């Protein structure tokens, strides 16, 4: 089996195990066990387990008035299921599977279900709010004094085409242009996984403008949509993709970018893209775009001054953040990597559930500072 097929199989098995556990616990709640037959609970669990795979199957095969509502429901059910699982699991851990407080465990589990549902409502509200603007500044060694104050706007993980549509994209473009950036970069996953669904947003993104250009790199979902199709979409949207390459934006300021490292691993095409992108670049301060925050020490060792990444969503729905951190140690915010600054954007939109707990999506507003201005 290919690495991607293995990954997909694992995802479906985990998805099934989550449903089995949650509906097992739901079946023990008094209001369910006293009024709902076991087979009805099992059928509900099976249908909800099928909802997400069916929605993905129908995504490009059914009319949007059928597929979109199903996708919206199935995607948000994913988030609700996760929060219910966490609530029930926490209860089982602290009660030792019901051995403690045995006379009251059904009431404790009912309370856990209520907490899970309440957190789901909060997450849905947060997920539907527009992203915040996170403002910061970064000193870049080698940046010419006349470039001090250069404003870079960063977006990542927009996931256009599934649940992120035209109105949301228009608001994003307006907000970015109102900040009057010198440079705009999109750090991967602009397309969710279906390039055709994203097409209506192409003309909207083309309204982005900045003196130093609008640049991008691919993310893993751009690969899932078909990397060549996604690259064509980005170009039609007025973005210039960087594929294991670099470009001199102005004397003393270099931008480099790599195709997604996660997709490379999943599709079994490992190589050395970071070194390739930085090799032979012009002199000056260098910004590296990489959707996945991996190979950070390689980037620092090869002369990148600032690395911009996304992909992690900061876990998107707490406490998933802790699981994400096991695979992606640099999950969100600023890091110093042997003198190189790494900034990981927690995502501008959402993937899957239109849910976030606790942090909203973000747009990064970065002001570049020249070391010689100190």
């Amino acid at each position: 089996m290919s690495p991607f097929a293995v990954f997909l199989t694992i995802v479906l098995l985990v998805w099934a195990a989550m449903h089995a556990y949650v509906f097992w616990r739901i079946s023990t709640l008094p209001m369910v066990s006293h009024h709902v037959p076991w087979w009805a609970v099992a059928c509900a669990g099976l249908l909800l387990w099928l909802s997400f795979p069916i929605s993905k199957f129908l995504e490009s095969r059914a009319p949007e008035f059928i597929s979109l509502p199903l996708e919206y429901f199935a995607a948000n059910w994913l988030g609700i299921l996760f929060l219910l699982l966490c609530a029930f699991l926490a209860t089982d851990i602290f009660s030792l599977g019901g051995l403690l407080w045995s006379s009251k465990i059904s009431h404790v589990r009912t309370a856990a279900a209520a907490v899970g549902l309440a957190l789901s409502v909060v997450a849905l509200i947060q997920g539907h709010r527009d992203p915040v603007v996170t403002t910061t500044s970064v000193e870049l060694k080698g940046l010419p004094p006349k470039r001090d104050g250069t404003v870079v706007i960063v977006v990542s993980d927009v996931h256009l085409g599934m649940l992120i549509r035209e109105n949301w994209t228009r608001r994003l473009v307006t907000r970015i242009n109102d900040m009057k950036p010198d440079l705009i970069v999109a750090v991967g996953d602009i397309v969710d996984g279906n390039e055709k669904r994203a097409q209506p947003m192409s003309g909207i993104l083309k309204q982005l403008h900045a003196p130093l250009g609008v640049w991008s790199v691919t993310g893993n979902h751009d690969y899932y949509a078909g990397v060549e199709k996604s690259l064509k979409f980005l170009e039609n949207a007025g973005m210039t993709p960087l594929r294991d390459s670099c470009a001199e934006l102005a004397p003393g300021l270099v931008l480099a970018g790599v195709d997604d490292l996660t997709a490379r691993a999943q599709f079994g095409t490992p190589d050395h893209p970071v070194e390739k992108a930085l090799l032979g670049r012009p002199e000056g301060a260098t910004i590296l775009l990489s959707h996945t925050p991996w190979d950070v020490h390689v980037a620092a060792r090869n002369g990148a001054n600032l690395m911009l990444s996304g992909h992690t969503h900061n876990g998107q729905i707490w406490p998933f953040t802790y699981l994400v951190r096991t695979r992606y140690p640099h999950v969100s915010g600023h890091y110093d990597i042997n003198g190189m600054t790494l900034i990981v954007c927690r995502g501008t939109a959402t993937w899957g559930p239109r849910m976030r707990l606790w942090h909203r999506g973000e747009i990064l507003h970065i002001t570049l500072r020249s070391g010689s201005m100190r």
Side-chain angles (χ1 to χ4, degrees):
M1 294 176 69
S2 69
F4 181 70
V6 172
F7 170 76
L8 184 61
T9 301
I10 292 172
V11 167
L12 290 175
L13 289 174
V14 171
W15 181 237
M18 289 170 66
H19 279 80
Y21 173 73
V22 167
F23 277 87
W24 172 43
R25 282 295 175 233
I26 287 175
S27 69
T28 67
L29 303 182
M31 65 181 66
V32 175
S33 61
H34 296 165
H35 303 288
V36 183
W38 70 267
W39 57 265
V41 177
C43 286
L46 178 61
L47 288 173
L48 288 168
W49 176 77
L50 289 170
S51 64
F52 197 75
I54 289 175
S55 72
K56 300 307 291 182
F57 177 79
L58 294 178
E59 183 179 9
S60 57
R61 296 173 175 84
E64 284 197 358
F65 73 89
I66 294 174
S67 60
L68 274 179
L70 178 59
E71 286 176 42
Y72 182 83
F73 171 81
N76 287 317
W77 167 245
L78 171 61
I80 295 167
L81 178 74
F82 172 72
L83 289 171
L84 285 172
L85 181 143
C86 291
F88 284 134
L89 190 59
T91 299
D92 279 345
I93 290 172
F94 286 109
S95 69
L96 300 180
L99 293 177
L100 301 179
W101 321 310
S102 56
S103 62
K104 298 181 179 179
I105 193 62
S106 61
H107 300 293
V108 173
R109 287 176 181 152
T110 299
V115 169
L117 292 175
L119 289 176
S120 297
V121 172
V122 174
L124 280 165
I125 293 171
Q126 286 288 77
H128 282 78
R129 298 176 71 188
D130 284 343
V132 299
V133 177
T134 300
T135 303
T136 189
S137 62
V138 177
E139 183 178 295
L140 293 189
K141 182 180 179 182
L143 184 70
K146 67 178 180 180
R147 285 293 162 191
D148 184 84
T150 296
V151 172
V152 183
I153 297 298
V154 184
V155 296
S156 76
D157 303 278
V158 180
H159 293 282
L160 297 177
M162 184 179 173
L163 302 180
I164 308 300
R165 310 293 287 184
E166 290 91 334
N167 289 339
W168 189 95
T169 308
R170 287 190 189 95
R171 293 197 302 274
L172 176 68
V173 168
T174 299
R175 291 181 72 190
I176 291 174
N177 285 337
D178 285 348
M179 288 185 274
K180 302 188 184 313
D182 298 297
L183 170 66
I184 300 170
V185 296
V187 196
D189 279 4
I190 305 306
V191 177
D192 181 69
N194 186 330
E195 174 266 341
K196 290 183 179 178
R197 283 277 187 86
Q199 282 301 332
M201 280 68 83
S202 175
I204 301 172
L205 290 176
K206 203 165 187 177
Q207 297 171 28
L208 290 168
H209 51 80
L212 297 178
V214 182
W215 300 78
S216 63
V217 290
T218 58
N220 54 309
H221 282 263
D222 300 309
Y223 267 81
Y224 303 157
V227 66
E228 296 302 328
K229 292 179 181 178
S230 294
L231 288 166
K232 187 67 174 176
F233 171 86
L234 295 173
E235 292 168 355
N236 290 341
M239 299 182 182
T240 303
L242 288 168
R243 308 194 66 189
D244 305 345
S245 60
C246 66
E248 187 177 44
L249 304 180
L253 182 58
V254 178
L255 186 67
V258 296
D259 276 340
D260 182 49
L261 305 180
T262 294
R264 279 181 149 101
Q266 289 175 342
F267 289 99
T269 55
D271 46 21
H272 303 282
V274 173
E275 295 97 322
K276 181 180 177 182
L278 296 173
L279 182 67
R281 68 188 184 281
E283 291 186 3
T286 301
I287 302 171
L288 173 66
L289 309 181
S290 174
H291 178 64
T292 299
W294 280 346
D295 287 358
V296 294
H297 294 284
V298 175
R301 189 167 59 247
N302 282 272
N305 305 106
L306 170 62
M307 179 172 171
L308 300 173
S309 296
H311 184 61
T312 67
H313 292 238
N314 194 27
Q316 190 164 312
I317 302 175
W318 177 90
F320 192 64
T321 308
Y322 301 115
L323 292 176
V324 172
R325 192 172 281 125
T326 62
R327 184 164 172 79
Y328 303 100
H330 307 100
V331 72
S332 180
H334 286 231
Y335 303 88
D336 181 86
I337 310 294
N338 298 331
M340 179 191 78
T341 299
L342 166 67
I343 303 179
V344 182
C345 177
R346 64 174 178 260
T348 306
T350 55
W351 176 83
R354 287 297 304 276
M355 301 169 70
R356 277 190 175 272
L357 195 71
W358 297 93
H359 300 288
R360 289 159 63 180
E362 70 177 350
I363 302 165
L364 296 177
H365 179 292
I366 302 173
T367 302
L368 304 183
R369 294 299 180 189
S370 170
S372 62
M373 294 296 290
R374 301 179 96 183

